[in-house]
Amino acid sequence: MGSLFGPLEDVQGDAGYAEGHPPRKGFFTDTSVCIGCKACEVACKEWNAIGADGLSLSGMSYDNTQELGANSWRHVAFVEKTAPPEPAVAPEREPTSLGMPGVGPPVGAEQTATTQQAGVTWLMSSDVCKHCTHAACLDVCPTGSLFRTEFGTVVVQEDICNGCGYCVPACPYGVIDLRPGDGRAFKCTLCYDRLKDDQTPACAQACPTESIQFGDLDELRERAQGRVEALHERGVSQARLYGHDPTDGVGGDGAFFLLLDEPEVYGLPPDPVVTTRDLRSMWSSVGLAAGALVGLGAAAFAGSRR
């Protein structure tokens, strides 16, 4: 491991792979076209033989997965937001009532212009492991269970994992977790087995709207920037990229996102930092302190002999 933080042009080279390795692969998730169908969740479970979670009504809209975990390597978030009232515009004709339920005060309650125009909008996003440039989970793994692949992704070898759990608090995104009843760590592998056969990861293959896009990371970053500019031209000023910047606290993510609101709204940390960034300086401080204690002990021993 060469570097623990900062920009890193050749992730695979830093991990020890020789020149000529494949280009770094990754995901670009465009949440502006996600329809919340959960096809990616199903495809991920089917391909990776992950057991079903069972029926669990979380009470959080249609979001019954709730979060990423050892048995949920993809999580489609449904974020409900109250839409601000828009300026009143007279319709060309009166709408026809279909008897469908709406959002607003109960029938018979006082209706105002604001409540009549208020509504709920959904922000949908398929979350996944970020495959960080500087992956703290990999840095703290004592057995080598976590490793960097030739594609620049981070994979867990479950047959080597001893269940120590060091990787769980190390992840700044809260992605990796230990499987109940098993004790070992699991997370998205970016379908490493499929990549070795030059196949698209299962989730991206199943996405009907191409919200999840797979490819060379450099190309995805260029494509994402163009998408943001196109949305801005259409008046979607809140569109922004998350995790694409190589100068951020994790050196940029291998799986990054186009969001339509602040990261916190989607349950993402606004400024993630690799938790092992200060590891070298911490051990240096520990070494200096230990050396000072040894020196004081030696001096005290020598003084007592005199």
Side-chain angles (χ1 to χ4, degrees):
M1 176 62 66
S3 175
L4 293 177
F5 65 93
L8 193 60
E9 292 186 4
D10 187 1
V11 174
Q12 296 96 307
D14 185 70
Y17 289 95
E19 293 183 6
H21 57 69
R24 187 179 179 185
K25 302 293 185 180
F27 285 131
F28 163 47
T29 301
D30 183 352
T31 69
S32 68
V33 294
C34 177
I35 58 175
C37 66
K38 292 181 178 283
C40 55
E41 285 191 16
V42 175
C44 178
K45 280 184 173 289
E46 286 186 342
W47 179 260
N48 295 289
I50 305 172
D53 298 317
L55 181 61
S56 174
L57 301 179
S58 66
M60 299 171 60
S61 182
Y62 294 101
D63 188 357
N64 292 325
T65 310
Q66 300 184 54
E67 60 185 358
L68 293 172
N71 291 323
S72 297
W73 300 358
R74 271 280 177 187
H75 165 227
V76 178
F78 285 73
V79 181
E80 291 185 5
K81 290 190 61 182
T82 301
E86 300 178 356
V89 178
E92 296 181 359
R93 62 180 182 178
E94 289 297 321
T96 301
S97 175
L98 299 177
M100 302 295 290
V103 177
V107 176
E110 181 180 355
Q111 300 278 336
T112 66
T114 299
T115 57
Q116 288 173 353
Q117 295 170 28
V120 169
T121 181
W122 275 334
L123 298 176
M124 301 174 185
S125 173
S126 181
D127 197 10
V128 72
C129 172
K130 313 307 181 290
H131 295 275
C132 309
T133 295
H134 298 289
C137 60
L138 188 155
D139 294 339
V140 302
C141 180
T143 66
S145 171
L146 280 148
F147 74 101
R148 180 82 63 180
T149 75
E150 66 270 30
F151 302 103
T153 58
V154 179
V155 173
V156 184
Q157 301 173 97
E158 60 267 22
D159 57 331
I160 302 177
C161 178
N162 66 357
C164 69
Y166 293 164
C167 55
V168 176
C171 176
Y173 296 102
V175 168
I176 195 166
D177 199 6
L178 303 182
R179 181 170 292 173
D182 182 296
R184 296 175 297 174
F186 292 86
K187 73 171 190 67
C188 163
T189 67
L190 217 148
C191 284
Y192 181 44
D193 52 345
R194 293 174 68 94
L195 296 192
K196 290 189 292 185
D197 289 334
D198 198 26
Q199 296 182 17
T200 300
C203 57
Q205 186 75 43
C207 182
T209 64
E210 296 186 355
S211 170
I212 302 172
Q213 301 178 34
F214 164 77
D216 294 352
L217 191 58
D218 290 339
E219 180 185 339
L220 290 176
R221 285 172 173 167
E222 293 181 7
R223 189 187 308 171
Q225 190 60 50
R227 174 63 175 164
V228 170
E229 293 172 359
L231 288 174
H232 286 176
E233 291 176 359
R234 298 179 191 177
V236 188
S237 59
Q238 64 271 35
R240 72 204 69 190
L241 294 179
Y242 177 85
H244 72 297
D245 186 0
T247 64
D248 67 11
V250 296
D253 292 325
F256 65 100
F257 303 80
L258 186 154
L259 304 179
L260 297 179
D261 210 321
E262 298 289 342
E264 301 94 315
V265 174
Y266 294 86
L268 297 168
D271 188 20
V273 175
V274 59
T275 52
T276 53
R277 179 185 60 181
D278 302 320
L279 200 58
R280 286 199 177 104
S281 61
M282 290 167 60
W283 280 112
S284 298
S285 299
V286 170
L288 290 173
L293 286 174
V294 171
L296 288 173
F301 179 75
S304 65
R305 287 182 64 91
R306 288 197 298 269

